[in-house]
Amino acid sequence: MILLDGNSLTINDVARVARGEEKDVRISDEAKAQIARSRALVDEWCERGEVIYGVTTGFGEFANVHIPHDELRQLQQNLLRSHSAGVGEPLADEVVRAMLLLRANALAKGCSGIRLVAIEQLLKFLAADILPVIPSRGSVGSSGDLAPLAHLALALTGEGFVTISEPAHGTHPSHRTAVPAKEALKNANIEPLILEAKEGLALINGTQMMTAIGALALHRAKQLADIADIAGAMSFEALRATDTAFDPRIHAARPHIGQAFVAERMLGLIAGSEIRQSHRTNDPRVQDAYSIRCIPQVHGAVRDTIEFVEKVLTIEINSATDNPLIIPDPQPSSLIPHPSSFPTGSHLEGGNFHGEPLALALDYLAIALSELASISERRTERLVNGALSNGLPRFLTKHGGLNSGYMIAQYTAAALVSENKVLAHPASVDSIPTSANMEDHNSMGSISALKVRSVVKNVETVLAIELLCAAQGIDFLAPLKPGKGTGSAHKRIRQRVPHLDEDRNVSEDIAKVLELTREREFLSKL
């Protein structure tokens, strides 16, 4: 079970819910009390006819239009309908689950003036695995991810479309089917949500699309950093490199945390290597190419970047990101450092929905992960290039000419690395004004998020190609055995993909190694 309070959700929690591993998500009692306090304020202000943006007024350029009390419900439903303007392929199931969770957690913070029943509707969708169909394009990353979240919220009210899981039958595996939200709710015995004042705005004013994608990308990025070290260590073995570059004295002289960690890890992965021991003497090479020698510096810098992005995302997944914020009395000390210096019972118009912190961080993550792929492809090139591989057969095949071995696997890696160079261009440096120039600076954080998700997929494939080629290279050094860590990784790869004696469908080899790297056991047993 995951208990939401708006303050303590973790990236791992998000990943578990996104993968469908945890469906029991509830609101803490403390959060429920805070939600009730903020909602009571909204009800009081509406009864008094107080002018509050998006509650008793229109939105954006229409903020100067007062809405009569008897039309406040219609205002909120119209908001969802009008803002459901997304286009493009739907977001992946795991992203939608993460969005449901993150929106519920943000609202559980008790600063949004929304009823508990509205938040619980999000959790009912999670529990029943009813996933709104959310087009992936349409957010500019300020005023929140308005279009994507509108599609999500509209489904809560029984409009729009959702996907549901169809059970497996016969030889057909389970699959998801798109159906009208009204039909799915009826079949699941869930009543459509009837919005009250402020609730439509509270549901769509947030950064949950970019945060969901970013959190899942980060979760995988942490795994890819470990996989990159393993791949680099296996290439080290196959290329019979020298471990001098991993000497801790080198890294103590330039004490970046990630760099020192990777150097130590490399020594641990190759510990006990017969391959390394075999050429400690009478080896004319003094040092290796950068793609081997500088693994600590490059992989370490990526790890430092990942750590920075994790801090940003951990703050964001536990933040109130809508507008206006409803600050009840008494104010929770967790929200502000000096509560007594602020007025109580306030509605505060601000800009917590602006995605700039995420846009910059996710652009940074895309750049860093692209570097993991870039250096990996260079190691793959050394493995397949007979002029650079320190004696390995050209393209890692004994019968070159008749067979091409892993020649084209390197092409594929190069193509993905080149694509990453385009994807690494920062989206956050762009801004196009919206809403009649009221929203005159937008973060484009949703684009940063979509790009980094693509980068992650490319990087994991490039690393799978290096693992595949490095395992083939190590085969040619038998009977010498690799180190403890590299040997374990080599063994697991060979359990899935046999040594390449004659040409076969290389794409299938890559796919099998890629699938292996997605299994938790691959890293946990090394």
Side-chain angles (χ1 to χ4, degrees):
M1 182 184 72
I2 293 175
L3 203 60
L4 300 183
D5 58 13
N7 299 298
S8 57
L9 193 67
T10 69
I11 300 294
N12 283 339
D13 290 336
V14 176
R16 285 168 53 214
V17 170
R19 292 192 297 251
E21 297 170 357
E22 180 60 76
K23 295 183 180 180
D24 187 4
V25 183
R26 306 178 190 180
I27 309 294
S28 74
D29 290 340
E30 181 182 7
K32 288 179 180 178
Q34 181 71 1
I35 291 163
R37 284 193 289 268
S38 66
R39 181 64 207 178
L41 281 173
V42 172
D43 290 338
E44 178 186 336
W45 293 331
C46 289
E47 287 298 324
R48 292 205 310 248
E50 186 162 341
V51 177
I52 309 171
Y53 172 76
V55 181
T56 59
T57 75
F59 308 101
E61 178 75 359
F62 292 126
N64 59 352
V65 178
H66 179 72
I67 308 299
H69 188 274
D70 61 355
E71 294 180 350
L72 295 184
R73 281 185 176 178
Q74 188 64 48
L75 171 70
Q76 299 301 313
Q77 190 69 24
N78 284 350
L79 175 70
L80 301 190
R81 291 168 178 159
S82 66
H83 285 49
S84 295
V87 298
E89 69 277 10
L91 293 172
D93 294 344
E94 64 174 3
V95 173
V96 177
R97 291 191 192 99
M99 288 174 67
L100 289 165
L101 173 72
L102 292 175
R103 198 72 206 111
N105 191 56
L107 296 170
K109 205 168 184 73
C111 298
S112 301
I114 193 169
R115 292 172 301 154
L116 177 63
V117 66
I119 305 174
E120 289 179 334
Q121 186 82 335
L122 292 160
L123 303 184
K124 287 179 181 178
F125 270 55
L126 268 180
D129 206 28
I130 298 172
L131 305 181
V133 175
I134 304 176
S136 56
R137 267 68 179 179
S139 171
V140 293
S142 300
S143 283
D145 292 313
L146 289 175
L149 287 171
H151 284 277
L152 181 151
L154 192 64
L156 305 181
T157 69
E159 296 187 24
F161 287 84
V162 299
T163 65
I164 58 174
S165 181
E166 298 284 0
H169 59 89
T171 59
H172 299 285
S174 62
H175 65 282
R176 299 195 68 84
T177 302
V179 299
K182 184 177 181 180
E183 176 186 324
L185 291 181
K186 181 179 180 181
N187 291 338
N189 293 318
I190 298 174
E191 289 293 323
L193 177 65
I194 299 175
L195 298 172
E196 297 290 349
K198 176 66 165 68
E199 292 183 335
L201 183 61
L203 285 165
I204 74 171
N205 224 197
T207 61
Q208 278 64 50
M209 180 186 120
M210 60 183 105
T211 307
I213 296 173
L216 296 175
L218 176 78
H219 187 267
R220 182 57 172 159
K222 294 171 72 173
Q223 297 171 340
L224 292 177
D226 288 338
I227 293 166
D229 291 346
I230 296 165
M234 289 182 66
S235 293
F236 169 95
E237 298 266 33
L239 294 168
R240 288 178 289 176
T242 172
D243 57 4
T244 302
F246 309 142
D247 190 306
R249 292 169 292 183
I250 293 175
H251 307 287
R254 192 197 193 194
H256 289 295
I257 295 173
Q259 177 177 326
F261 177 87
V262 172
E264 182 178 2
R265 189 158 190 261
M266 292 295 290
L267 290 175
L269 287 167
I270 63 173
S273 170
E274 294 178 1
I275 297 172
R276 174 64 188 116
Q277 194 62 36
S278 70
H279 60 95
R280 283 194 179 277
T281 58
N282 300 322
D283 189 341
R285 293 174 301 162
V286 176
Q287 58 186 18
D288 297 297
Y290 287 1
S291 58
I292 295 291
R293 194 195 333 162
C294 297
I295 286 175
Q297 288 80 4
V298 177
H299 290 200
V302 173
R303 285 181 177 273
D304 290 340
T305 302
I306 289 171
E307 184 177 352
F308 164 75
V309 176
E310 183 169 22
K311 290 178 181 177
V312 173
L313 282 166
T314 300
I315 291 171
E316 191 71 13
I317 67 176
N318 291 292
S319 295
T321 55
D322 56 304
N323 176 58
L325 293 181
I326 310 302
I327 307 298
D329 181 17
Q331 298 171 36
S333 59
S334 61
L335 287 180
I336 50 178
H338 306 293
S340 60
S341 65
F342 288 79
T344 58
S346 302
H347 52 86
L348 304 176
E349 286 74 23
N352 276 4
F353 50 68
H354 201 290
E356 195 72 13
L358 293 166
L360 292 171
L362 296 180
D363 278 342
Y364 191 14
L365 183 61
I367 292 168
L369 292 177
S370 294
E371 282 297 277
L372 273 190
S374 180
I375 196 170
S376 170
E377 182 277 328
R378 288 294 81 198
R379 292 191 295 261
T380 296
E381 163 64 10
R382 302 193 81 80
L383 289 165
V384 301
N385 188 332
L388 302 174
S389 64
N390 199 23
L392 293 175
R394 287 182 294 173
F395 303 112
L396 300 171
T397 180
K398 280 187 176 180
H399 309 291
L402 177 63
N403 293 286
S404 295
Y406 286 124
M407 179 190 294
I408 307 303
Q410 184 267 330
Y411 285 41
T412 300
L416 296 175
V417 167
S418 183
E419 181 180 337
N420 280 350
K421 293 174 184 177
V422 176
L423 293 169
H425 178 83
S428 56
V429 298
D430 182 37
S431 175
I432 299 176
T434 53
S435 193
N437 221 40
M438 174 63 74
E439 299 164 5
D440 57 355
H441 183 275
N442 290 308
S443 75
M444 303 303 171
S446 63
I447 301 170
S448 299
L450 291 168
K451 289 194 306 92
V452 79
R453 185 171 174 84
S454 296
V455 168
V456 165
K457 291 180 179 179
N458 288 344
V459 173
E460 63 181 2
T461 301
V462 172
L463 291 175
I465 289 170
E466 182 185 359
L467 288 166
L468 182 66
C469 292
Q472 182 81 355
I474 289 172
D475 289 346
F476 289 116
L477 302 181
L480 296 176
K481 296 180 180 179
K484 181 179 179 181
T486 48
S488 177
H490 178 266
K491 180 180 179 180
R492 298 211 63 211
I493 291 169
R494 282 291 165 257
Q495 289 171 346
R496 300 292 180 89
V497 181
H499 177 81
L500 184 70
D501 287 314
E502 302 290 338
D503 281 350
R504 60 175 180 254
N505 187 334
V506 175
S507 179
E508 293 181 3
D509 288 359
I510 297 170
K512 289 175 183 177
V513 176
L514 177 58
E515 189 59 35
L516 175 63
T517 67
R518 290 174 175 165
E519 297 175 4
R520 297 179 193 176
E521 293 78 8
F522 180 70
L523 291 173
S524 64
K525 293 185 178 180
L526 296 179

